[in-house]
Amino acid sequence: MSAVIDVHELLARAAARVEPALIEAVPKLEGPLGRLHESMRYSLLAGGKRLRPAICFAACEAAGGAPEDALPAAVALELIHTYSLVHDDLPCMDDDDLRRGRPTNHVVFGEALAVLAGDGLLTRAFGVLAEAGFPPARRIEMVAVLAEAAGSRGMVGGQALDLAAEGTEVDLPTLQYIHTHKTGALFVASCRLGGIAAGAGETERAGLDRFGERIGLAFQIVDDVLDETSTPEQLGKGTGKDQSRGKATYPGLIGLAESRRRVAELAREAEEVAREFGPPGASLAALARFVGERTS
């Protein structure tokens, strides 16, 4: 694979592609529901890397599609991701007051409206996929993939286990199970939805799943490391909270050095999977390197 991809340009293009669609996805700030929609937009349009949409676009490209074919899926993924952040920040969950460098949703709008804003973002994600211009069978499959990734056997289940593990000793298989569900499931869905949008076959889908599994786990291990080693100014959110809450993390279980080694290994494996797609997988390979090396 000879193409050299500037990952920052890649992320910027993905953000530019998805941002207008995110603006259109949530109703305007008017009428009796204006405050609710303002709360939804406050978190949805707060910036961020738009990494999951970028991965979705890259997966679609790797499977032979045009990135814009995956736009509805990318929007749905970012809606789900944002809802999860709004709820994770609540006092009953991770109790954070800073996200992307500004006050979290519940700090600005109150806890009750933050819960409802998250609910609104979650349900809107499925509306976006249902309204997309794909053939009906493909739309149904995409809705099912996203529901599985976001639900009790995916992200929500992983978060429940993460909370239950606070203050307890867990072994490495349990910790990996938590991380691959609470964070990894949505990365796998990002790859899978991109592949479905491209009309990928079973072999291509299996490869995209392998990529998503590795990159999702690597991303969460890096998050664990950055919580211990970075500052709120660097990350735009609170740090040092995992240890104070007794959360199960890779650095806490195997140390920083071994955590970083595992991230490098997972990123390398993901990049190798991307290379199996030939030149169309160049964007996926660049994103694998980015996740392995990110500092924020």
Side-chain angles (χ1 to χ4, degrees), residues 16-217:
R17 183 178 289 123
V18 79
E19 208 72 26
L22 291 173
I23 292 171
E24 291 299 316
V26 177
K28 303 296 187 294
L29 311 181
E30 56 192 20
L33 298 178
R35 184 68 171 167
L36 172 62
H37 295 148
E38 181 184 3
S39 178
M40 293 166 67
R41 284 171 170 263
Y42 176 83
S43 294
L44 182 65
L45 306 179
K49 300 179 184 68
R50 307 305 191 197
L51 179 58
R52 290 152 191 82
I55 290 173
C56 185
F57 293 138
C60 184
E61 184 179 21
E68 54 267 24
D69 294 341
L71 183 58
V75 171
L77 286 159
E78 196 65 15
L79 286 163
I80 294 285
H81 175 56
T82 304
Y83 123 76
S84 75
L85 298 181
V86 172
H87 281 193
D88 284 354
D89 289 337
L90 290 167
C92 63
M93 301 280 277
D94 289 346
D95 194 15
D96 283 313
D97 57 11
L98 190 68
R99 172 72 67 178
R100 291 173 175 166
R102 63 180 188 168
T104 48
N105 196 292
H106 70 272
V107 171
V108 177
F109 295 94
E111 292 179 35
L113 199 60
V115 170
L116 294 172
D119 293 344
L121 292 165
L122 166 64
T123 50
R124 184 70 191 110
F126 295 103
V128 167
L129 284 182
E131 296 160 8
F134 301 114
R138 191 172 296 182
R139 272 182 284 162
I140 291 169
E141 184 179 13
M142 295 174 96
V143 167
V145 165
L146 190 60
E148 182 78 5
S152 63
R153 291 185 291 189
M155 182 178 67
V156 169
Q159 181 68 10
L161 292 172
D162 185 50
L163 291 170
E166 287 184 6
T168 69
E169 293 186 9
V170 300
D171 57 19
L172 192 57
T174 300
L175 180 57
Q176 182 168 323
Y177 185 92
I178 292 171
H179 279 18
T180 55
H181 285 73
K182 79 167 186 176
T183 300
L186 207 58
F187 278 91
V188 174
S190 300
C191 294
R192 192 173 296 177
L193 290 173
I196 294 171
E202 290 304 316
T203 300
E204 293 168 312
R205 292 191 192 193
L208 292 173
D209 281 357
R210 294 200 312 276
F211 179 91
E213 288 162 0
R214 284 155 179 78
I215 215 65
L217 181 56

Side-chain angles (χ1 to χ4, degrees), residues 49 95-104 223 225-242 295-296:
K49 300 179 184 68
D95 194 15
D96 283 313
D97 57 11
L98 190 68
R99 172 72 67 178
R100 291 173 175 166
R102 63 180 188 168
T104 48
D223 257 13
V225 170
L226 293 177
D227 185 74
E228 285 201 13
T229 61
S230 297
T231 65
E233 291 74 24
Q234 290 171 311
L235 295 186
K237 63 181 181 179
T239 57
K241 301 200 73 171
D242 288 347
T295 58
S296 65

